Amino acid sequence: MASQILSSLSKTANGQTKDGKHRDLERDIKDAHDPSWRIHSDFGVKESNTDDWLKVATEDHTGPSLLEDSFAREKIHRFDHERIPERVVHARGAGAFGHFKLHESAADVTNAGVLTDTSRETPVFLRFSTVLGSRGSADTVRDVRGFAVKFYTSEGNWDIVGNDIPVFFIQDAIKFPDLIHAGKPEPQIEVPQAQTAHNNFWDFVYLHSEATHMYMWTNSDRGIPRSYRMIQGFGVNTYTLTNDKGERSFVKFIFTPELGVHSFVWDEALKIAGQDPDFHRKDLYEAIESGNPARWKFGIQVIPESKEHDFDFDILDATKVWPEELVPIRYIGDLELNRNPDEYFTQTEQVAFCTSHVVPGIGFSDDPLLHGRNLSYFDTQISRLGINWQELPINRPVCPFLNHNRDGQGRHAISKGNVNYWPNRFSAVPPAKPEEGGYVDYPQKVEGIKTRMRSKKFGDHTSQAQLFYNSMSAIEKKHIAASLSFELDHCDDPVVYERISERLANIDLGLAQQVAEQAGAKPPQKAGIANHGKKAKGLSQLEFLPKEPTIATRRVAILIADGYDPIAYAAIVAALKSAKALPFTIGPRRTPVFAAGESRDSGKGVQPDHHLEGMRSTLFDALFIPGGEQSINTLRKQGRALHWVREAFGHLKAIGATGEAVSFLRDAVLLPQGVKLSYGEDLTNSYGVVTAVKTQPEHLREVVKMAKGAANFVDAFFFEISQHRNWERELDELAEQVAY
């Protein structure tokens, strides 16, 4: 009986097994939807009225409120102190729970249980974030994205406090305040918010040339990700691993998403920032709630200590990648996010990470950025949450833990006993021996001169910026040039945009000339440093498509009006759901829309999820328009419907149309002449626009086989969605011919 009770308690409402952290948190969770609850004061007394302050009053006169009302005072005082200091950086975030599973032991390089025991399933919490913006800023700004993972291991908490970009702006932590001050709103008028498109940032990164590699990454498509579920995660810093033989290696940590790495286009990101500033956090929540966990492969890059100096870059330099051709990624595990937080503040806002949180078998290199982060992160958590921040439910380990730390504001643990120091006469709570799992620092030999300097290899600030740019595809290079042109267009000091244009010539002369012309600077005529012409794999995000084409969790809008084709509509909705995509019906109104031949009195109809003015094409990955003469005639007369389609085309999204909707694209939307559309029974796929005037029933089947060159409508349309965007549409200059 006891085992049956325990078994039932270890399952969540959706049937998932509860992990150790889930069970640990349950003792602090109170369900507001439990009908037995009544309002209590914080000191436990039930309250009968929380709508009126205690006052002197009659039916004819309202008199003064009384300070003796302790319930009202508590309610107001608690409200006055609800806010804690927001993070200086990474203030805006979203997170989720999940687990980490190792499928290949790394015992050859480490004795860390979390990286060697393949039988374990380690609970995790992952917080995503933007960097520069305040807590109330928008999700889709151009910025680095934080990727911070807390592993609740059997040996204690292990934090990987990373980003979606593998390098950083600075080499030494002492420059971090300057970097953030330069990137934050300019101090005189506190603008702009959550962006680097201003004088101070570009002034700083020019004068601090080690930032060159990083701003090439941030101005690539990596700076505007489509979803938190579609970004890579990188530990950024160089850590160490130690195995049972006492051998030490250097390591970098990498997470690669199952869904591939995908981004917005810039116009789309700008618009979503106003239309739905919470897009990324809602996207993460929606996917998990709909039963589509977010998943990443976990990999390590390892360099034996004996090979530390075998490269033309310093492996401790956080502004450098370890090219995969030189140091391959070894994927050894999987991370899955499958449970949303129960409450944002107590979990996502109060979760706190420290780069110094490691477990036995994992250690620190002499990376100068990492050393400063180890100091800074602990300090900032104290500032935000108090000295006992690690006792908060979201931050406390799942393993048993005890020490002689005592007291301080917000202390939760009750330490029973008569001693709070070591050594003591009772030998109470002694240090753990290595064989008991005690952390042992690697006996590293250190020699040198006490001085303020870095090794010579740290002085190369250009070669990897060139490597990154050389490795980009044609469309990515075009986007980098456009992004830099946008950023510098918002700099009104000629000194700033002239200097950056000159600096870009050290990366690629053609890029520099293109940006200079757009930004109003004098185009450079020669490169200060010749481009070495080398490329590396794993830098272009177009290399990271899913193993098999998928449209899982893709948002697809279906435009209909009264008189739509019910067969095509129903078939596409069923096929989308079967492929785990998310169909959304968009109509001229949110009240029911009726199919061709369907009476308004039938009580049937389809209720749209949104109306045309309530949503925009920017918030969807693809667009489908079924035929139906009456429906199409209505959409033809609606400027917003035309804008929906033109905007989706301009943003390079897959567009599908059947029946009369094909002529709608041709005659009303007026797609560019280079786009071919169907004229009869033929299926036409041109620049990601898939059309069929006449569709056979077998072409609208629910079972989908996505493939390039597919012969039926659903397969062809879904394949185009799976490719994320049709880049040829932009490269062949068709997108810019459409006003959107």
Side-chain angles (χ1 to χ4, degrees), residues 319-397:
T319 69
K320 305 293 193 301
V321 296
W322 295 358
E324 291 183 40
E325 291 85 351
L326 302 178
V327 190
I329 299 175
R330 174 183 171 188
Y331 286 104
I332 60 173
D334 296 291
L335 184 144
E336 177 181 293
L337 298 182
N338 51 30
R339 183 166 66 89
N340 283 311
D342 294 298
E343 184 181 25
Y344 183 89
F345 179 81
T346 53
Q347 295 175 328
T348 307
E349 183 63 19
Q350 288 196 143
V351 70
F353 301 88
C354 279
T355 55
S356 57
H357 283 179
V358 295
V359 292
I362 303 171
F364 312 110
S365 74
D366 288 334
D367 177 343
L369 179 63
L370 176 59
H371 285 197
R373 293 182 80 197
N374 285 347
L375 172 70
S376 176
Y377 278 69
F378 195 93
D379 186 52
T380 197
Q381 311 309 351
I382 295 173
S383 175
R384 292 184 62 245
L385 302 169
I387 191 62
N388 286 304
W389 62 271
Q390 293 183 93
E391 292 191 31
L392 292 171
I394 190 64
N395 295 322
R396 68 185 175 218

Side-chain angles (χ1 to χ4, degrees), residues 30 37-48 70-71 74:
K30 299 175 182 177
W37 278 114
R38 297 295 181 268
I39 293 178
H40 293 68
S41 70
D42 283 347
F43 52 93
V45 175
K46 292 179 180 177
E47 299 184 48
S48 58
S70 61
F71 297 126
E74 178 188 85

Side-chain angles (χ1 to χ4, degrees), residues 8 157 164 172 190 195 207 255 260 276 282 285 327 329 336 475 479 498 505 509 521 533 561 637 658 705 708 711:
S8 66
N157 289 352
D164 70 328
D172 192 307
E190 187 66 11
Q195 56 184 294
L207 295 169
F255 300 84
D276 190 355
K282 288 163 67 175
Y285 180 89
V327 190
I329 299 175
E336 177 181 293
I475 193 67
H479 291 168
E498 291 278 1
L509 183 58
K637 299 173 185 177
T658 57
K705 297 180 180 179
K708 188 173 184 178

Side-chain angles (χ1 to χ4, degrees), residues 42-60:
D42 283 347
F43 52 93
V45 175
K46 292 179 180 177
E47 299 184 48
S48 58
N49 184 328
T50 62
D51 297 321
D52 298 286
W53 198 299
L54 186 65
K55 57 180 72 71
V56 178
T58 67
E59 291 184 358
D60 301 318

Side-chain angles (χ1 to χ4, degrees), residues 618-637:
T618 49
L619 306 176
F620 301 92
D621 294 292
L623 182 61
F624 173 67
I625 313 160
E629 184 176 0
Q630 181 187 352
S631 174
I632 295 305
N633 286 338
T634 299
L635 294 177
R636 283 177 182 273
K637 299 173 185 177

